[in-house]
Amino acid sequence: TTLTIVLGFILKINFTDWCLIIFAIGFVLAAEAFNTALEVLTDLVSPQYNEKAKIIKDVSAAGVLLSALTSFAIGLIVFLPKAWNWMETIVK
């Protein structure tokens, strides 16, 4: 998150790009919060090993992974063109 924000300032991203980046960061943090809540609730309801509890935790973790991959794609869309242009100005 910190690196993304710093990079946004360095590359001077526009308002729309900031909105996308803030959404992506919030999306991953919210997914992590839901994942944590589901894992704690699953442990509370099923303290012993249970295959269905494992599936719940795995699917919840997969949701976090999907949100992180989506956010990574947003980051690439926002930052790659700007980073490329920035590097071209340095090379010239």
Side-chain angles (χ1 to χ4, degrees), residues 1 4 20-36 60-75:
T1 298
T4 302
L20 289 168
I21 294 301
I22 290 167
F23 173 80
I25 291 168
F27 184 47
V28 173
L29 293 176
E32 285 285 0
F34 288 127
N35 179 52
T36 300
S60 179
V64 174
L65 177 62
L66 289 173
S67 71
L69 291 173
T70 301
S71 294
F72 181 72
I74 290 170

Side-chain angles (χ1 to χ4, degrees), residues 33-56:
F34 288 127
N35 179 52
T36 300
L38 277 170
E39 287 192 4
V40 170
L41 180 61
T42 302
D43 289 342
L44 179 67
V45 173
S46 180
Q48 276 72 28
Y49 179 80
N50 182 312
E51 187 61 31
K52 288 184 180 179
K54 179 189 178 308
I55 292 169
I56 290 168

Side-chain angles (χ1 to χ4, degrees), residues 7 11 76 78-90:
L7 196 58
L11 296 176
L76 289 177
V78 168
F79 288 119
L80 273 183
K82 291 173 182 18
W84 185 262
N85 290 337
W86 181 73
M87 288 175 58
E88 282 183 338
T89 61
I90 291 175

